[in-house]
């Protein structure tokens, strides 16, 4: 009985792991247009301010064609202000 339960649990866990890895592999390898900022913004989103800032910030689009024919895309944020440095002093 214990052996059956252990075997069925291992089989279910293995099937779940296989399904999850298959899903993530397909998402990474599917050649369709994936844009990070293509979704509509909602004011209810906790990251709304940051997403609006990123959308409105001037970006340069870089492309690179590999030897195997794959085209890679990137967005470069030019003149991005450095984060302020904070120094703490303990007394």
């Amino acid at each position: 009985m214990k052996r059956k339960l252990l075997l069925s649990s291992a089989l279910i866990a293995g099937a779940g792991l296989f399904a999850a890895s298959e899903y993530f592999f397909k998402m990474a390898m599917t050649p369709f247009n994936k844009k990070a900022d293509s979704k509509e913004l909602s004011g209810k989103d906790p990251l709304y301010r940051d997403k609006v800032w990123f959308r409105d910030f001037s970006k340069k689009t870089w492309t690179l064609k590999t030897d195997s024919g794959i085209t890679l895309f990137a967005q470069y944020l030019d003149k991005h202000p450095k984060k302020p440095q904070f120094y703490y002093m303990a007394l």
Side-chain angles (χ1 to χ4, degrees):
M1 182 68 177
K2 284 185 177 181
R3 190 176 204 170
K4 249 183 166 177
L5 182 63
L6 184 62
L7 185 61
S8 62
S9 297
L11 185 63
I12 290 172
L17 186 61
F18 176 76
S21 63
E22 181 73 15
Y23 169 76
F24 287 116
F25 177 78
K26 283 184 179 178
M27 281 304 294
M29 300 305 288
T30 304
F32 66 90
N33 191 10
K34 301 177 199 174
K35 284 189 167 183
D37 52 355
S38 63
K39 296 180 182 177
E40 293 292 324
L41 295 177
S42 168
K44 296 178 182 178
D45 188 358
L47 298 174
Y48 178 75
R49 257 184 43 209
D50 298 327
K51 289 180 180 181
V52 168
W53 173 87
F54 185 76
R55 182 192 64 196
D56 296 340
F57 197 86
S58 64
K59 302 174 209 58
K60 292 182 183 178
T61 303
W62 290 356
T63 58
L64 175 69
K65 188 141 183 138
T66 62
D67 295 335
S68 60
I70 298 173
T71 305
L72 305 174
F73 297 95
Q75 291 181 341
Y76 176 70
L77 303 177
D78 195 21
K79 299 180 184 173
H80 189 326
K82 292 184 179 180
K83 291 185 178 180
Q85 298 291 327
F86 293 105
Y87 298 99
Y88 297 101
M89 186 168 74
L91 298 176

